[in-house]
Amino acid sequence: MEETVTAEPALSPAPGAEQYPALDFANSAVALPGGQFSDLLGTPASANRWLSEHGLAPADAGLREMCTAQLRSLREQVRALLASRVAGLPALPAALSAVNDALTRVPTAALLQWDEKTGPYRAAPHPTTEILDHALAALAADAADLLTGPDAERLTACGSAPCNRYLLRHGRRHWCSTRCGDRARAARAYARRTRSTPD
């Protein structure tokens, strides 16, 4: 049974997460050594903080558990799509459906509006009460951009167990952080030592 850690892990964003918020979103559930697990969307307060830090909601949005459950659900579907892409397998229909549903919840184009005093202007056609729908749509659109864009070829899973994060590969690097790279190198060195030691 996995132990849940409430404190946020001291991990820097995985390579590519600054460019693609959906990658950071997918990595907001982190498997840690020792069977521990950290979920940055685990509570309404932490989910609100995550959305606020990514410019997707005001700090005082007041998310409820139902909102965080929707975020976690979309995250799992995005993770499924990333896993399919990395493995070269067909996407799960439920994952595609969830992302497409989030994409179509709200219009993304700024519509033409008209003010009697100042004339025409463009504005997003949503009231601020639909914060969650817009956050979900923005994350889904970013995931779709990542999966269909030129960076999709660089998408990979961290090569250090038990880490479950995704990253954009740079050169030969297959780790999301220095810590994971060090852990993978130590594991390989240990395996070499134990193989070369006579029983």
Side-chain angles (χ1 to χ4, degrees):
M1 182 171 156
E2 289 184 336
E3 178 185 337
T4 299
V5 177
T6 54
E8 295 180 18
L11 289 176
S12 59
E18 300 87 1
Q19 185 179 356
Y20 293 99
L23 193 57
D24 207 31
F25 178 59
N27 291 337
S28 63
V30 184
L32 301 168
Q36 296 184 344
F37 183 81
S38 176
D39 188 348
L40 302 180
L41 306 177
T43 65
S46 63
N48 201 140
R49 183 171 46 256
W50 191 93
L51 288 174
S52 177
E53 288 169 356
H54 289 79
L56 296 168
D60 61 351
L63 294 184
R64 302 280 184 237
E65 180 53 36
M66 184 179 81
C67 301
T68 58
Q70 288 179 49
L71 282 166
R72 289 190 300 264
S73 177
L74 181 63
R75 176 184 61 199
E76 293 314 307
Q77 301 303 340
V78 167
R79 287 185 60 78
L81 292 173
L82 296 179
S84 294
R85 179 69 169 103
V86 167
L89 298 171
L92 296 172
L96 284 174
S97 179
V99 168
N100 285 330
D101 178 56
L103 280 169
T104 58
R105 277 187 187 195
V106 293
T108 55
L111 301 180
L112 181 62
Q113 307 283 337
W114 202 278
D115 183 272
E116 290 181 18
K117 294 178 183 173
T118 59
Y121 67 98
R122 294 195 62 185
H126 63 87
T128 56
T129 57
E130 296 173 353
I131 292 167
L132 181 65
D133 283 346
H134 288 278
L136 292 170
L139 291 164
D142 193 63
D145 288 345
L146 171 59
L147 290 165
T148 60
D151 288 327
E153 294 299 320
R154 296 178 27 218
L155 183 66
T156 191
C158 183
S160 178
C163 187
N164 63 341
R165 297 197 320 162
Y166 291 94
L167 63 135
L168 293 183
R169 187 174 49 251
H170 293 284
R172 294 178 47 206
R173 180 178 174 174
H174 287 267
W175 303 293
C176 70
S177 66
T178 304
R179 181 188 314 182
C180 281
D182 291 347
R183 193 168 50 241
R185 285 187 285 278
R188 281 197 309 266
Y190 178 76
R192 280 192 302 272
R193 280 194 313 275
T194 57
R195 276 194 308 251
S196 63
T197 305
D199 288 332

